Amino acid sequence: MNKSKIKTFAIWARQKLMDDIRGNASLIGITEAQIYDPLSQSTSGIQYFDIGTNEPYALSGDDILNRDKIVVDLKATAKDENYKTAYTNMIEHTASTWFNRLAAIRIMEVNDYFDDGLRVLSSVNKGSKDSDLMIAPFESDIEFTEQERQSIIDWKLNNS
């Protein structure tokens, strides 16, 4: 087995995940420099964040609660260490968690551990660029709400 390819991929994937997490965090006002408050036009139902474009980035519903939890956790951790270290540790921890989850899903799907037989990250059809779950989401054991079902149908119709 060529372990250098695995090591190279793991390093690349870790860095890619951390970059993506940093980018997503900055959309909601969480950066390496500081945590920004929502813009003044925000309400209890929708929060806006300046991302340097004509339109601010908007959060609503559970996304607001999730951001609030991240902010509370980050501030609590920053009390024990400086903010930059707390932020870096949060990014690294989140990236490691997602890497481990994706690796576990891949191991489970290639060993046919999913009862419905659908692959989440790949397809049993070698030539397919989309995963089995992307092609036929409603054939899985996953339970979707009506709103989720409609969103998936819309995404498929719009090739999103």
Side-chain angles (χ1 to χ4, degrees):
M1 175 193 294
N2 186 349
K3 293 180 183 178
S4 67
K5 288 184 179 182
I6 294 172
K7 181 178 180 181
T8 300
F9 170 76
I11 292 168
W12 170 84
R14 178 180 177 269
Q15 189 60 53
K16 173 78 170 118
L17 285 167
M18 288 191 319
D19 290 345
D20 289 349
I21 292 163
R22 274 189 211 95
N24 286 329
S26 70
L27 292 175
I28 59 173
I30 301 172
T31 68
E32 185 176 34
Q34 71 182 68
I35 299 169
Y36 293 92
D37 291 330
L39 296 174
S40 60
Q41 67 261 39
S42 299
T43 66
S44 61
I46 190 162
Q47 292 182 347
Y48 297 101
F49 297 91
D50 183 6
I51 58 170
T53 60
N54 289 340
E55 295 293 320
Y57 189 81
L59 277 184
S60 61
D62 288 342
D63 292 336
I64 293 173
L65 299 174
N66 291 335
R67 180 193 184 273
D68 290 346
K69 184 180 181 318
I70 292 168
V71 168
V72 166
D73 290 348
L74 196 51
K75 285 180 177 179
T77 304
K79 285 182 181 177
D80 296 333
E81 49 196 50
N82 67 51
Y83 174 78
K84 187 174 179 178
T85 301
Y87 174 86
T88 300
N89 289 343
M90 178 199 68
I91 297 295
E92 289 178 359
H93 175 76
T94 305
S96 294
T97 299
W98 277 106
F99 183 85
N100 291 340
R101 289 175 181 174
L102 291 168
I105 289 169
R106 182 66 179 138
I107 290 166
M108 292 172 67
E109 74 180 13
V110 297
N111 289 296
D112 294 322
Y113 290 151
F114 295 121
D115 293 336
D116 55 25
L118 290 179
R119 290 190 172 189
V120 177
L121 302 174
S122 66
S123 177
V124 291
N125 302 324
K126 297 287 184 206
S128 178
K129 64 180 176 99
D130 292 327
S131 72
D132 292 343
L133 188 61
M134 293 286 293
I135 295 167
F138 303 123
E139 292 180 22
S140 72
D141 291 341
I142 300 171
E143 294 181 20
F144 297 102
T145 65
E146 190 52 43
Q147 182 181 2
E148 290 169 335
R149 289 175 94 53
Q150 191 56 53
S151 292
I152 292 168
I153 291 166
D154 291 344
W155 293 331
K156 287 183 77 68
L157 290 174
N158 295 320
N159 202 23
S160 299

